[in-house]
Amino acid sequence: MKSPVITAQDLSVRVDGREILHKVSMAVQPAEIVTIVGPNGSGKSTFLRALIGAVPLASGRVERAPGLRIGYVPQKLALDSALPITVRRFLSLPRRISDDRVTDAMSRAGVPGLESRQMTDLSGGQFQRVLLARAILERPQLLLLDEATQGLDQPGAAAFYQRIEEVRRDLGCAVVMVSHDLHVVMAASDRVLCLNGHICCEGAPEVVADAPEYRALFGTGTKGTLALYRHQHSHRHDADCEHDHSHGAD
Amino acid sequence: MLDDFMVRAALAGVGIGATSAPLGCFVVWRRMAYFGEATAHAAVLGVALALALSSPVLPAVILASLAMASAVTLLRGHGYAMDTLLGVMAHTALAAGMVAVSLISDARLDLMAFLFGDILAVSRSDLLVIWGGGATVLGLIAWQWSNLLISTLNPDLARAAGVDPRKAEIWLTLALALVVAVAIKVVGVLLIAAMLVIPAAAARPLAKTPEEMAAGAALIGGFSALSGLYAAYILDTPAGPSIVCAASLVFVVTTTVRALKARKTPRI
C-alpha cells in the first residue's frame, strides 16, 4: 500500500467548550474517493476544516505528505456584491496563475470561457464549478469538497460528481468530500465514512449502507438512499456505539 | 509654495483622500464600516491620554485606535452581537474621550479641531506626517494585497492556499489605526469613517476588479478633497465636512449612472 496523502490521528476539536470531534482517525490513500456522511452538526465540515488547518485541534494531529498540494471547495462562499471580481482574477489569488493553467482548469471543471465574467453574475452551478476550477488549478494531490453541490438540483449535482470523478481520473488526486446527496455520492465513492462526532462506521459504500450505525442515523428509506442496495436487513440497533444516534440539531 | 496655507491644505487633503480610500475598500468589502467608526472615535481617547501624559498626540492616538481595533477584533467571533457591541464601544469611546479631554484640558485645546478637523491649519510637519503615514499605509496594503483579498473572500480558502487570514487581519487593523491617526487633522474624528467608506462605495459601480475599485477610490478620494476644499473656499463652509459632501456627490453620480445603464441594458 502506498503511503497516505493525509492522515488524521485521534483528532479532537472543541468549539466553545463543546467537543465537536472526538478522536477521529483516518488516512486517505492517493487517488481514493472518500465520502463523509453524517447528520447536521456531526462535525463533517469541522473535520475538513481541521484537515486544512483552519480550526485549532484540542488533541491529536494531522499529518500531510511532504509538499502536499490541497484543493479546497468550501461549503458556503457568500460573495459580497460590494467586491467586484472577475472569474479570472478570482482564480489568480493569492498567487498569479498562468492563462494556460486557468484555461485548462476551467475546461476540466466544465465552465470554459467564463474568465471575464463577474463572480456575482454566475449561476449557482457555474459558481460551484468555478470553485472546483480554483481548487484544481495547482494540480492538487488532495481535493477537499464540503457539500460542493449545495444549491444544485439533482441533475446538476450528478453532473458535478461526474466532473469530480473525471478530475480524479485525469489528475490522479485523492478526493475527500462531505455530502448530503447520499445515494449519488455513495455510488461514486471508494470508501464511506459515517461521522457523528466520532466515526460511527466506515468501509465500502455497500458495507456502510448495511451497517446498523448508519441505519440508525439515516433509516432504511431516506431519500431513496438504499434503493441502490438490494437486500435490506431488519432494522436493529447495536450496542457497540456508546452515544445517542439522534439526528443532531444544529 | 508650501507657505500658502491653501496649498498645504490641498496637499494634506489629497494625501488623506488617496490613502484612506483604498483602505476603505476593505472596510466596505468586509462590512467593517462600524469598525472603522469605532477605531476613529477611540482617537478622542488617545487625545485625552496625550493631554494627561503631556505626550505628543500622534502616538497616543495610534495607540488608542489600535487598542480599540484589537479589542473589537478579539471580541468578534466570541458570540457577541457585533452590531450592538460596536455601537456601544464606538460611542462610549467618543463620549468618554470628550469628557476626559474637557476634564484634563487647559483652555488652549480646541476640541472642535479634533472632532471636525482643521485642514486649513496644516503645518509643514503635519504634511510630513500625513504623506509619510499615507505612504506607509499604501505600502502595507500593496504588500499584503493578495493575502488580504483572499482572506476577505473566504478565510478557509486563504488557509487552503497557505495564507493565514489572521495575520492579514492584523496588518489591516494596523493600517486602519494609522490612517485614523494621520487623518484627524484633515477631516476630524467624526468624519474619518466617511472618507474610508464613501469614496470606496462611489468607485464600486465603475470597477470590474478589486484593483480597479481601489485605484478608483483613491482618485475619487483625492478629487473630493480638492473639490471640497475649493467649495469651502468659495462658499466659506467648514473644510472637512465640505470634502465629505463632495465625496457623497460623486457617490450619487456614479450610482445613478450605473442604475441608468442597468436599466438600458438588462443584465443577462
Side-chain angles (χ1 to χ4, degrees):
Chain A
M1 196 179 236
K2 285 175 279 186
S3 61
V5 288
I6 198 162
T7 313
Q9 228 170 50
D10 290 331
L11 184 151
S12 299
V13 172
R14 284 178 175 281
V15 177
D16 294 330
R18 207 162 59 91
E19 192 164 58
I20 305 289
L21 292 172
H22 177 72
K23 295 206 171 206
V24 176
S25 296
M26 77 154 211
V28 181
Q29 303 301 326
E32 182 186 29
I33 296 189
V34 179
T35 296
I36 301 173
V37 298
N40 287 336
S42 59
K44 305 183 298 281
S45 295
T46 307
F47 183 59
L48 282 201
R49 296 182 65 229
L51 290 183
I52 60 168
V55 284
L57 308 181
S59 69
R61 55 198 180 130
V62 173
E63 264 173 51
R64 301 175 176 188
L68 179 69
R69 291 187 304 276
I70 294 182
Y72 174 67
V73 178
Q75 183 175 30
K76 261 179 271 168
L77 186 60
L79 281 194
D80 198 312
S81 62
L83 174 51
I85 191 162
T86 59
V87 171
R88 179 69 180 86
R89 187 72 190 90
F90 176 69
L91 295 180
S92 251
L93 273 175
R95 284 172 284 277
R96 184 168 293 283
I97 306 287
S98 70
D99 283 342
D100 291 350
R101 285 232 154 161
V102 169
T103 313
D104 179 60
M106 295 279 283
S107 65
R108 278 186 202 285
V111 276
L114 291 185
E115 283 88 338
S116 60
R117 293 275 289 275
Q118 285 287 308
M119 287 295 289
T120 43
D121 289 348
L122 299 178
S123 71
Q126 289 171 333
F127 195 92
Q128 289 310 114
R129 282 158 189 256
V130 167
L131 285 182
L132 177 63
R134 187 190 148 80
I136 61 175
L137 269 180
E138 299 192 275
R139 302 207 158 228
Q141 294 116 321
L142 174 62
L143 196 55
L144 301 174
L145 302 146
D146 193 352
E147 301 202 25
T149 54
Q150 238 184 10
L152 299 189
D153 56 11
Q154 239 174 25
F160 191 85
Y161 288 121
Q162 205 163 4
R163 282 283 165 196
I164 305 244
E165 276 207 76
E166 285 167 25
V167 164
R168 194 260 304 244
R169 195 190 58 216
D170 296 346
L171 303 183
C173 57
V175 179
V176 176
M177 54 188 173
V178 163
S179 184
H180 269 139
D181 308 310
L182 295 176
H183 53 301
V184 186
V185 156
M186 289 180 75
S189 315
D190 299 318
R191 195 147 62 93
V192 174
L193 211 122
C194 180
L195 194 71
N196 192 15
H198 67 284
I199 295 179
C200 297
C201 51
E202 65 173 301
E206 309 80 42
V207 175
V208 169
D210 265 354
E213 293 89 349
Y214 176 83
R215 293 187 164 204
L217 283 175
F218 293 106
T220 47
T222 1
K223 296 184 192 166
T225 308
L226 297 186
L228 283 170
Y229 310 102
R230 297 225 181 82
H231 47 284
Q232 297 198 10
H233 303 290
S234 62
H235 191 96
R236 66 198 152 89
H237 288 279
D238 273 14
D240 54 351
C241 227
E242 75 280 16
H243 79 112
D244 171 27
H245 272 147
S246 64
H247 288 255
D250 193 34
Chain B
M1 185 182 86
L2 287 178
D3 291 335
D4 183 3
F5 75 98
M6 275 308 276
V7 173
R8 290 199 300 271
L11 283 173
V14 170
I16 291 302
T19 50
S20 61
L23 188 63
C25 288
F26 283 104
V27 173
V28 168
W29 295 335
R30 297 170 79 103
R31 303 189 171 213
M32 286 166 42
Y34 237 138
F35 182 88
E37 197 129 295
T39 311
H41 288 183
V44 183
L45 278 176
V47 172
L49 185 74
L51 284 174
L53 302 176
S54 335
S55 66
V57 170
L58 191 72
V61 165
I62 293 179
L63 209 68
S65 300
L66 262 185
M68 171 64 91
S70 318
V72 173
T73 308
L74 280 178
L75 288 172
R76 183 161 49 191
H78 280 84
Y80 290 92
M82 276 322 282
D83 191 38
T84 310
L85 192 69
L86 276 173
V88 170
M89 291 176 77
H91 297 112
T92 304
L94 182 62
M98 285 167 72
V99 168
V101 167
S102 64
L103 280 179
I104 301 162
S105 146
D106 50 28
R108 289 180 307 147
L109 185 92
D110 182 8
L111 190 59
M112 293 307 272
F114 286 108
L115 292 182
F116 294 104
D118 194 4
I119 193 172
L120 299 181
V122 163
S123 68
R124 280 164 185 258
S125 57
D126 288 336
L127 266 187
L128 204 66
V129 167
I130 287 170
W131 281 81
T136 311
V137 166
L138 282 188
L140 212 68
I141 295 290
W143 169 52
Q144 285 291 316
W145 182 258
S146 290
N147 291 352
L148 272 171
L149 212 47
I150 188 71
S151 308
T152 299
L153 282 165
N154 183 286
D156 287 346
L157 274 186
R159 286 270 182 204
V163 172
D164 187 345
R166 283 172 312 175
K167 271 189 200 157
E169 198 167 60
I170 290 172
W171 288 120
L172 190 64
T173 307
L174 192 66
L176 206 57
L178 260 178
V179 156
V180 165
V182 300
I184 283 189
K185 189 84 181 177
V186 175
V187 283
V189 167
L190 291 180
L191 290 176
I192 289 171
M195 285 312 283
L196 286 168
V197 172
I198 299 176
R204 171 62 187 97
L206 311 172
K208 287 193 173 62
T209 61
E211 289 78 12
E212 282 178 24
M213 182 160 153
L219 284 176
I220 292 171
F223 170 79
S224 309
L226 286 180
S227 47
L229 207 54
Y230 182 69
Y233 182 69
I234 300 287
L235 306 171
D236 192 24
T237 49
S242 305
I243 291 173
V244 173
C245 286
S248 305
L249 272 179
V250 179
F251 170 79
V252 170
V253 170
T254 58
T255 309
T256 312
V257 167
R258 161 76 164 241
L260 289 178
K261 265 190 186 169
R263 194 183 275 185
K264 263 183 211 160
T265 50
R267 282 203 294 191
I268 313 146

